Each structure stands twice: as C-alpha cells, then as structure tokens.
Amino acid sequence: QVQLVESGGGLVQAGGSLRLSCAASGSIFSILAMGWYRQAPGKQRELVASITRDGSTNYADSVKGRFTISRDNAKNTVYLQMNSLKPEDTAVYYCNAGVIRFDGRGPSLYWGQGTQVTVSS
C-alpha cells in the first residue's frame, strides 16, 4: 500500500508565497517522476510542475519563474515553492508519483488527496 499526503495549502494574498509538501509512504522500492497538478472549479486538472528522480524539471508556462519544484529522495518527499501568487493560482493542488513497490509492481501512479490553495486579491 502506498499513500501520498499533501500539506501546506492555505489562504494567502496576491503576491504572497506558499510552500507545499507531499510525502509518500508505504511499500515503496523507488519513486520515479513526481509532480504537482491543480484543478480549479469548473476546469480540468492540469500539470503544474514535474520532476524526475535525477532532478530534471518541467513547468507549465503559467508558473515559470514563480514556482519551483524540488524533491528529497531520502524522505520520499516533493515540494512546490510558490511565489508571486495570483488569484488564478487558486485551486486544489494534487501530488502524484510514479512508484515501484517492493513486490516489483510498477511503475504505478499514485495521487494524494489534494490541498486547497486560495489566493485573494
């Protein structure tokens, strides 16, 4: 069993910063790519940022220069540092990870429960 738990969401004013964390636990042999997605009301879920095990990153154009994704492989944790937040960043943010389990199954995608980020104007 593998679980991903996000934390760090909340309410901030436009221009502020927030740091999200996502910790994976369970029967994990290794984690490949990890990423952050978000979904705003009435919109489809979209990729915000992703990071490979060796640290290669990818960002949505809308967040480049403002958000930074990073990971700590020893802790099975991925982070999303969000700066210069805008009201349009308001969404539920979801962590995901490609996991190879100890039983050799995988890679399989796992998702966290989501954390709400609200940016007021």
Side-chain angles (χ1 to χ4, degrees):
Q1 188 175 2
V2 176
Q3 301 86 36
L4 276 66
V5 179
E6 301 100 333
S7 62
L11 174 64
V12 297
Q13 293 186 6
S17 297
L18 207 59
R19 184 177 176 86
L20 305 182
S21 299
C22 173
S25 62
S27 184
I28 298 170
F29 176 75
S30 67
I31 300 177
L32 303 180
M34 304 184 79
W36 288 95
Y37 289 72
R38 67 186 182 188
Q39 187 167 27
K43 296 184 178 180
Q44 294 183 331
R45 187 173 298 187
E46 64 176 353
L47 175 68
V48 177
S50 63
I51 184 168
T52 65
R53 185 171 180 83
D54 67 356
S56 297
T57 58
N58 183 50
Y59 296 93
D61 288 341
S62 60
V63 307
K64 285 182 179 178
R66 299 189 297 120
F67 291 10
T68 302
I69 188 170
S70 61
R71 64 189 288 173
D72 185 336
N73 291 334
K75 296 181 178 179
N76 289 332
T77 300
V78 63
Y79 306 93
L80 186 67
Q81 178 67 46
M82 304 185 293
N83 298 325
S84 301
L85 283 162
K86 304 175 180 179
E88 50 263 45
D89 295 318
T90 296
V92 177
Y93 284 70
Y94 297 90
C95 171
N96 84 328
V99 176
I100 299 176
R101 304 189 309 196
F102 276 120
D103 61 9
R105 296 285 186 175
S108 300
L109 285 176
Y110 290 85
W111 291 86
Q113 83 288 348
T115 185
Q116 177 71 48
V117 172
T118 302
V119 184
S120 64
S121 59

